[in-house]
Amino acid sequence: MTQKMDSRTHINLRGVGTVLSVLLARTVNIIHMLSLKMFGKGLTYLVTLLWSLTLVVGIFDDPFADANSPDLCVIHTPLETKYMSAWLNQRNVVANGCWGTVKPQDFLEEEIHILRVNHPLNEIELKLEGEWFTSSDGPPSKLIILLDSSSPLPWKIKGHSPVHNGRNVTLLVTGQSEVENSEIRVTVQKHSNVNQNADFSVLRFAKKRYGQITTYNSVEGTNKLVFTRGNNGNDAAICGSDHIPVLNSPSPVLSATVSEKKVLSGCYHKAEVGKLHTDLHIVNAQAPPKSTIEIHLSPELERGIENRNMTLILRSGHEDTIWAISASDRLHGFLRVMSKGIVENKGISKHFIIEAVKENFPQEFELFILEVALTITVPISYVNVSDVTSIDLVVGRKGPDILPGFSTGLNPWDTKNAASSGRKDERRNKINHKSRHKNGGQRFLPSKPYSGKY
């Protein structure tokens, strides 16, 4: 595979060049703990000797390693991969809208919402959120959203499936547009006979089919939308005419932004995905102080559950950086987030257990990457990016040759009784409810079904 590269900095990710080095380092850790427990500092010299042997072995790099080897990270600038993308929110876009003849509280069985995008930017990301998705109280049982645009485009759907099994979401896509990917459980229907060039063709179609609508919403020139069911938009106007709605007030359910895709540099080793006890990703994001950077995890699998243990090391150079973590509810397993900043749970299901840990690795890059490889594992990716507000990480399909003893849903660092599957739920609950406020004031929000706020 040929990639344009402005730089090709080779980094030894194992730090010591061979599997033997990693095994020695982990053996040293075990002996060190045992020696302190059993003999105090009596085995200090032995521990020091073993560390020295580890570093000596690391002097000799694998002569057969190349740019595709997991031992190396060839820094690609730009890094072009479908598994990671970064965005900068440039500006908010006004989304106008109006209520239909009746408001949501008057519907018992279904709501019909129309989202119209004029002059869209390439593709549209639509995030569905709100209490309707996270609670099981109150109507309606069905949410119908018509996705309409002035030109054909791919729609990408984010969010969480309704927690209530009796609720369902139907997306009606007009013209030649497609739902390219959906993280949540939805029914997709195509209606190519709706004229995408006419602003209100979809409105006439909806009223003919359903008799009434809940909201009509229109926005110009955007690529990211957030639909909030339960938004406080009661001040929006009534649509008025059957065929030409009045759009002189903000939408009661829709918000929009324009986001710029940022250039990444780094490396990504697809061949190593899912083969170790945890998938390790390192992100070095340059952002101003007191920034909030959103990290969203989603599976490559189009359907079904992806079981995976993951580790994120998140660095920004500022301890007041807020890392807002969210994930698709089709990801199950254990997620450890290591950072000097503030980690917030912004929407992770109960099946993806999250733990936040204060990161205390060296600042110097060579020492940092060495210690990471020795104490955790070989990174799947190492990424640099600047001026960023959100990062999307797609969890790739894992290969068939998973290491023996791999078990998702458990803390991969908790080796005590790790082979006892009968205690899995007990450990999971212990991890999930244990206080995380040690480690230097790290703020941690426990994993639970997202209720829209904390």
Side-chain angles (χ1 to χ4, degrees):
M1 181 177 66
T2 303
Q3 287 188 327
K4 177 183 177 182
M5 290 184 290
D6 297 326
S7 63
R8 292 175 59 88
T9 305
H10 291 249
I11 300 170
N12 193 326
L13 283 184
R14 294 209 174 174
V16 287
T18 63
V19 176
L20 177 60
S21 307
V22 176
L23 294 176
L24 278 172
R26 291 176 180 172
T27 302
V28 167
N29 284 335
I30 294 173
I31 293 176
H32 178 69
M33 288 186 291
L34 290 175
S35 64
L36 290 177
K37 187 174 183 180
M38 299 174 62
F39 305 105
K41 298 183 179 180
L43 294 182
T44 301
Y45 292 109
L46 177 60
V47 172
T48 303
L49 176 62
L50 286 175
W51 268 115
S52 301
L53 289 174
T54 300
L55 295 176
V56 168
V57 174
I59 293 174
F60 302 99
D61 284 338
D62 183 357
F64 301 102
D66 58 24
N68 295 318
S69 167
D71 290 311
L72 294 173
C73 176
V74 179
I75 298 296
H76 293 252
T77 305
L79 172 63
E80 297 173 355
T81 173
K82 69 176 183 179
Y83 296 102
M84 194 170 284
S85 60
W87 302 85
L88 172 64
N89 286 345
Q90 292 183 315
R91 66 181 187 275
N92 295 328
V93 179
V94 176
N96 292 317
C98 55
W99 294 109
T101 53
V102 288
K103 294 185 179 182
Q105 57 265 32
D106 300 315
F107 285 89
L108 296 178
E109 296 299 328
E110 63 185 22
E111 290 181 13
I112 300 94
H113 299 269
I114 298 174
L115 311 185
R116 167 76 177 183
V117 181
N118 290 309
H119 308 107
L121 306 178
N122 299 324
E123 64 182 29
I124 297 289
E125 176 189 293
L126 172 63
K127 184 177 182 180
L128 305 178
E129 63 181 27
E131 294 183 1
W132 185 84
F133 295 92
T134 58
S135 68
S136 56
D137 299 329
S141 59
K142 189 173 185 179
L143 197 63
I144 300 171
I145 303 176
L146 288 81
L147 306 179
D148 187 43
S149 58
S150 59
S151 59
L153 56 82
W155 291 81
K156 295 184 177 182
I157 313 301
K158 287 186 175 182
H160 288 275
S161 299
V163 297
H164 192 287
N165 291 330
R167 292 180 170 179
N168 62 78
V169 179
T170 298
L171 302 178
L172 279 74
V173 188
T174 66
Q176 302 304 312
S177 297
E178 301 279 350
V179 173
E180 186 177 271
N181 180 269
S182 178
E183 292 182 358
I184 72 174
R185 185 178 65 250
V186 296
T187 300
V188 178
Q189 298 179 8
K190 284 275 295 177
H191 288 278
S192 56
N193 57 337
V194 176
N195 184 4
Q196 287 184 292
N197 294 321
D199 281 354
F200 305 118
S201 175
V202 65
L203 177 60
R204 291 191 290 271
F205 165 81
K207 287 196 171 183
K208 182 178 179 180
R209 178 166 182 157
Y210 301 107
Q212 56 191 353
I213 64 167
T214 309
T215 65
Y216 182 93
N217 310 275
S218 179
V219 63
E220 184 99 10
T222 183
N223 57 358
K224 294 210 175 188
L225 299 173
V226 177
F227 173 90
T228 305
R229 171 55 178 86
N231 199 11
N232 297 322
N234 292 326
D235 294 335
I238 301 297
C239 289
S241 170
D242 287 342
H243 303 299
I244 304 177
V246 177
L247 297 175
N248 57 6
S249 61
S251 166
V253 295
L254 194 66
S255 60
T257 58
V258 171
S259 295
E260 173 195 356
K261 193 170 186 178
K262 302 297 294 182
V263 174
L264 301 174
S265 67
C267 58
Y268 187 94
H269 293 294
K270 176 65 173 71
E272 299 303 305
V273 170
K275 292 185 178 180
L276 299 172
H277 69 284
T278 183
D279 280 7
L280 172 61
H281 298 273
I282 302 172
V283 174
N284 184 30
Q286 301 302 318
K290 300 182 179 179
S291 296
T292 295
I293 302 175
E294 298 178 357
I295 306 286
H296 184 75
L297 310 176
S298 60
E300 183 182 11
L301 288 174
E302 294 182 1
R303 294 181 177 85
I305 302 301
E306 182 67 78
N307 293 290
R308 191 67 52 84
N309 290 332
M310 299 184 66
T311 302
L312 303 180
I313 299 179
L314 307 176
R315 307 189 119 193
S316 69
H318 304 288
E319 294 192 7
D320 56 4
T321 299
I322 298 175
W323 299 92
I325 314 296
S326 63
S328 166
D329 52 11
R330 294 196 292 111
L331 281 176
H332 291 189
F334 187 95
L335 172 64
R336 169 174 276 199
V337 182
M338 307 181 75
S339 175
K340 287 183 169 67
I342 300 166
V343 176
E344 290 188 353
N345 179 348
K346 299 300 288 186
I348 295 180
S349 79
K350 63 181 179 181
H351 302 293
F352 202 41
I353 302 169
I354 180 173
E355 178 187 55
V357 177
K358 195 74 172 179
E359 183 254 291
N360 289 309
F361 292 114
Q363 287 300 314
E364 298 81 1
F365 179 77
E366 292 79 7
L367 294 177
F368 161 71
I369 209 74
L370 170 64
E371 187 168 334
V372 166
L374 290 176
T375 58
I376 303 178
T377 188
V378 180
I380 301 297
S381 69
Y382 175 84
V383 171
N384 286 303
V385 64
S386 60
D387 298 324
V388 64
T389 53
S390 64
I391 297 173
D392 293 329
L393 197 162
V394 176
V395 180
R397 295 180 177 91
K398 59 187 176 184
D401 49 340
I402 306 301
L403 292 181
F406 177 87
S407 176
T408 58
L410 301 179
N411 183 340
W413 292 268
D414 182 11
T415 57
K416 184 178 180 181
N417 297 322
S420 174
S421 60
R423 297 189 62 189
K424 178 166 64 176
D425 290 336
E426 178 183 343
R427 284 199 305 278
R428 181 175 289 176
N429 290 334
K430 181 180 179 181
I431 294 168
N432 206 21
H433 294 99
K434 187 169 62 174
S435 172
R436 310 293 183 190
H437 291 281
K438 45 190 179 181
N439 298 319
Q442 177 79 6
R443 188 164 119 206
F444 174 76
L445 298 173
S447 176
K448 61 181 179 179
Y450 181 49
S451 62
K453 60 183 179 180
Y454 288 102

